[in-house]
């Protein structure tokens, strides 16, 4: 998908106070979707309970004309609203492979995990998730399959994608600078505004990479420790 780093997702004007409001909003704005209730879904951690939506997502053009419909499942874990929903494609519109950022079961990777973590930490409504991510992903996938994909932007996969993320986030490609940034980030329990910037510049963190430091704070320290080895 596009390397979106804007963490503000409030695209709907509807007043949503809780999940019940959110659920009703999703179904109202997306007539092909229904709410299935709470179901058990197996993930890497085992079996967990998810709030599930399923049905047809209708991709529309600017004039609200139907472009294509897709059979999908949207699953939201118990941490709602501090969670990033799972999107699965249940039909055969696209090959279920890394080419379309999908696993063999149709699970779609919409964001780099660290961006998803930061968005979830700030809270994400399902209404906004559907409104923002689904049209972007399916438009992107249709162009990739049927159009000229030369100019399409997307994250690399796995470790290459993580390296790319840090390069964009910190604004440099120098491995030593990125490694030093991560090591200094790990040296503090949490970012402090007046500490020297992790990048090594002659500036305080608050005047240089403050937002980037807060962004990384949303991802586990153990994961960032592993990432340091990518820049050795």
């Amino acid at each position: 998908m596009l390397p979106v780093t804007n963490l503000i997702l409030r695209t709907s004007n509807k007043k949503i106070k809780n999940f019940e409001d959110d659920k009703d909003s999703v179904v109202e704005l997306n007539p092909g979707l229904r709410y299935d209730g709470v179901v058990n879904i197996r993930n890497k951690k085992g079996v967990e309970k998810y709030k599930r939506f399923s049905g047809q997502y209708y991709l529309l053009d600017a004039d609200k004309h139907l472009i294509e419909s897709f059979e999908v499942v949207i699953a939201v874990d118990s941490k709602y609203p501090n969670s990033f929903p799972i999107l699965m494609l249940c039909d055969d519109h696209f090959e279920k492979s890394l080419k379309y950022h999908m696993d063999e079961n149709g699970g779609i990777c919409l964001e780099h995990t660290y961006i998803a973590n930061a968005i979830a930490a700030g809270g994400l409504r399902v209404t906004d998730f559907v409104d923002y991510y689904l049209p972007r992903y399916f438009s992107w996938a249709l162009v990739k399959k049927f159009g000229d994909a030369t100019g399409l932007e997307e994250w690399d996969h796995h470790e290459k994608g993580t390296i790319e993320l840090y390069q964009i986030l910190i604004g440099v490609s120098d491995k030593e600078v990125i490694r030093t940034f991560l090591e200094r980030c790990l040296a503090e329990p949490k970012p402090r505004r007046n500490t020297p910037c992790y990048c090594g510049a002659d500036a305080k963190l608050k005047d240089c990479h403050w937002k980037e430091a807060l962004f990384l704070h949303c991802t586990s320290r153990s994961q960032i420790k592993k990432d340091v080895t990518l820049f050795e």
Side-chain angles (χ1 to χ4, degrees):
M1 262 300 274
L2 297 172
V4 177
T5 54
N6 178 8
L7 306 184
I8 301 174
L9 290 178
R10 289 292 180 269
T11 59
S12 170
N13 293 321
K14 295 179 70 65
K15 292 183 178 179
I16 297 174
K17 298 179 180 179
N18 50 45
F19 180 77
E20 286 299 312
D21 291 345
D22 202 358
K23 174 197 70 177
D24 292 343
S25 174
V26 170
V27 174
E28 177 186 344
L29 295 174
N30 300 274
L33 297 179
R34 62 183 178 274
Y35 178 61
D36 300 321
V38 178
V39 300
N40 291 323
I41 297 179
R42 181 174 294 279
N43 57 28
K44 294 180 180 179
K45 299 178 181 179
V47 177
E48 295 187 10
K49 293 186 180 299
Y50 286 80
K51 298 176 176 69
R52 187 177 74 180
F53 299 82
S54 64
Q56 295 292 317
Y57 171 71
Y58 301 135
L59 180 64
L60 308 177
D61 65 17
D63 296 320
K64 304 299 182 183
H65 297 143
L66 180 66
I67 298 174
E68 187 60 272
S69 64
F70 305 89
E71 186 180 355
V72 300
V73 165
I74 301 166
V76 185
D77 69 25
S78 59
K79 296 178 182 178
Y80 173 91
N82 298 112
S83 65
F84 195 89
I86 297 169
L87 175 64
M88 298 186 67
L89 180 66
C90 302
D91 58 35
D92 58 357
H93 272 87
F94 309 112
E95 173 188 335
K96 292 180 172 62
S97 69
L98 290 179
K99 178 180 178 179
Y100 291 98
H101 294 263
M102 265 192 281
D103 62 27
E104 60 185 9
N105 297 314
I108 300 172
C109 179
L110 296 169
E111 279 288 18
H112 190 285
T113 302
Y114 300 176
I115 295 177
N117 290 344
I119 292 173
L124 177 60
R125 305 183 301 192
V126 186
T127 298
D128 294 331
F129 172 82
V130 173
D131 184 59
Y132 186 86
Y133 280 104
L134 272 65
R136 283 162 176 76
Y137 174 78
F138 287 120
S139 297
W140 172 86
L142 285 173
V143 172
K144 191 174 183 71
K145 182 174 182 179
F146 298 111
D148 181 3
T150 305
L152 289 181
E153 294 181 311
E154 57 185 302
W155 289 113
D156 276 325
H157 304 294
H158 307 308
E159 291 183 349
K160 288 184 178 180
T162 297
I163 292 172
E164 182 185 11
L165 173 71
Y166 282 122
Q167 290 173 338
I168 293 173
L169 185 70
I170 301 172
V172 298
S173 57
D174 188 299
K175 287 188 174 182
E176 184 175 348
V177 173
I178 297 173
R179 186 181 70 250
T180 299
F181 190 101
L182 298 181
E183 289 173 344
R184 291 176 176 176
C185 179
L186 289 168
E188 295 187 324
K190 63 180 181 180
R192 295 183 298 174
R193 294 175 61 84
N194 291 318
T195 197
C197 188
Y198 304 154
C199 72
D202 185 20
K204 293 181 179 179
L205 187 60
K206 67 180 181 181
D207 298 320
C208 197
H209 283 90
W210 175 246
K211 291 182 179 179
E212 290 78 8
L214 291 178
F215 172 87
L216 288 179
H217 189 62
C218 297
T219 292
S220 71
R221 295 171 63 82
S222 61
Q223 182 58 59
I224 294 177
K225 286 180 180 178
K226 293 179 182 178
D227 293 344
V228 171
T229 62
L230 300 176
F231 301 96
E232 293 178 344

